Amino acid sequence: MRRILAALLCLPLLAMPVRGAEVQKYVALTFDDGPSGRFTRQLLDGLYERGAKATFFLCGYRIAEYPDITQRILDEGHEIGLHGYSHKNMQDLSRRDIAQEISQTQDLLPPGCNPMFFRPPGGCCADNVRQVAQARGLAILSWSVDPKDWATKNTAAIEKAVLEHVDDGDIVLLHDMSVSSVKAALDIVDILQEEEFELVTVSELVRLRGAKVFPGKTYTDFPKA
């Protein structure tokens, strides 16, 4: 009788669905062309309040103007990538000039900052750019979602362009250069967090996905394998 009762008691447990571990979703927001003074400060304030991380592709001439903001980006756990010194399109630059654009920028970075990624202005990935990136041990980072926020001052349009397309493992291209872009970015963070996405740096996304990146190679996203 005891065996029968025990079996009956186990039946509800067997009928209960077994919940597997929830799969975490990740997105990496990236910001080009800064630091830009008050806009970058506003963005950093908002990211800090939300516990979100991002990756900033900085221009050397702007690092020289805002070394304090550059240091703050690093101190608050964000990632710094290279975007050249002058923001020149590198399509027709010599390898020597491209290398100088990179080295001039690296020389201005805070101690301990060793970028993994290089994003050429405009996303140019000509052979000369790839060769220099490979020689300097840098992977090239492109993107998978581009709302073209630099071309519009419409916050709602920027948000819509991202949220209609973003998915797990995506890399989103934004700019911390205007009120509309910064407001859109923080609204996007709020909505994605509500949808249980975690906002991480690109290098963290690489680690979480168990991916490998190689110098001179171009990457657009890091989805689940």
Side-chain angles (χ1 to χ4, degrees), residues 3-224:
R3 290 180 181 178
I4 295 172
L5 287 173
L8 290 172
L9 289 171
C10 286
L11 285 176
L13 297 175
L14 293 173
M16 291 176 65
V18 178
R19 295 185 63 188
E22 292 185 5
V23 178
Q24 181 65 53
K25 299 180 292 184
Y26 302 101
V27 167
L29 300 184
T30 64
F31 296 90
D32 285 10
D33 300 356
S36 64
R38 67 186 180 96
F39 298 125
T40 305
R41 290 189 185 97
Q42 289 170 4
L43 177 61
L44 290 171
D45 289 345
L47 293 174
Y48 182 82
E49 291 169 3
R50 292 159 174 80
K53 303 302 180 187
T55 300
F56 292 79
F57 285 90
L58 305 182
C59 293
Y61 80 97
R62 288 189 173 275
I63 296 173
E65 187 174 0
Y66 299 108
D68 57 324
I69 301 179
T70 304
Q71 184 67 57
R72 181 183 171 187
I73 290 171
L74 191 65
D75 290 345
E76 294 187 0
H78 303 291
E79 182 173 10
I80 291 176
L82 302 171
H83 201 46
Y85 185 88
S86 64
H87 202 264
K88 290 179 181 176
N89 189 303
M90 297 181 175
Q91 178 73 35
D92 299 319
L93 293 185
S94 68
R95 284 179 293 183
R96 180 178 179 179
D97 287 342
I98 294 169
Q100 187 174 24
E101 285 270 334
I102 292 173
S103 63
Q104 280 184 296
T105 306
Q106 287 177 311
D107 289 345
L108 293 168
L109 293 174
C113 181
N114 299 300
M116 177 188 299
F117 292 103
F118 170 50
R119 177 177 282 166
C124 169
C125 284
D127 287 342
N128 52 350
V129 173
R130 286 192 291 269
Q131 291 163 2
V132 173
Q134 183 176 18
R136 301 191 71 87
L138 297 165
I140 298 172
L141 192 75
S142 185
W143 53 83
S144 50
V145 179
D146 178 10
K148 300 190 185 303
D149 62 315
W150 55 270
T152 177
K153 303 300 181 184
N154 188 323
T155 297
I158 298 168
E159 294 173 15
K160 184 172 184 283
V162 172
L163 295 171
E164 284 187 348
H165 298 96
V166 72
D167 203 352
D168 177 47
D170 273 333
I171 294 168
V172 181
L173 171 62
L174 291 163
H175 299 77
D176 48 329
M177 304 296 289
S178 68
V179 171
S180 56
S181 288
V182 170
K183 185 178 187 311
L186 296 177
D187 288 346
I188 289 165
V189 170
D190 289 338
I191 293 168
L192 290 179
Q193 287 181 332
E194 288 176 3
E195 296 178 357
E196 299 184 349
F197 282 86
E198 185 175 348
L199 283 302
V200 297
T201 66
V202 177
S203 61
E204 188 177 8
L205 180 58
V206 171
R207 179 184 62 80
L208 289 164
R209 285 290 143 84
K212 293 182 179 180
V213 296
F214 299 94
K217 300 294 184 183
T218 300
Y219 301 88
T220 59
D221 58 356
F222 296 94
K224 291 188 292 290

